[in-house]
Amino acid sequence: MSIQAINVRNQFRGRIQHITEDEVLSAIEIETPAGIVSSVITTRSVRNLGLVVGSEVIALVKATEVAIAKL
């Protein structure tokens, strides 16, 4: 199966730099041209997707709210 179209516009292509696995959840760090993108997903998903350090991935970000703070 491959994705033919997707409505998520915020997409960051990169490579997995680090995976911290726990029993239920795993933290993934992805190096992209824009910087590091971090995600927490289930450890089951990490295994089902075959994710390992060095895997090329796309981080898809879909948010209904983005908060802004003035510095």
Side-chain angles (χ1 to χ4, degrees):
M1 177 176 72
S2 63
I3 297 172
Q4 294 181 3
I6 192 164
N7 71 333
V8 178
R9 298 292 173 240
N10 300 311
Q11 301 178 21
F12 301 92
R13 185 181 210 118
R15 289 196 182 275
I16 295 177
Q17 294 300 306
H18 189 71
I19 299 174
T20 304
E21 284 191 22
D22 202 353
E23 190 175 328
V24 177
L25 295 175
S26 293
I28 312 292
E29 291 184 6
I30 303 161
E31 184 175 357
T32 74
I36 299 293
V37 175
S38 298
S39 178
V40 175
I41 64 175
T42 64
T43 299
R44 176 186 227 172
S45 291
V46 171
R47 294 178 184 150
N48 286 345
L49 292 168
L51 300 178
V52 295
V53 171
S55 293
E56 187 174 3
V57 296
I58 299 174
L60 305 168
V61 180
K62 178 118 177 156
T64 57
E65 180 179 330
V66 176
I68 303 293
K70 184 178 178 186
L71 300 176

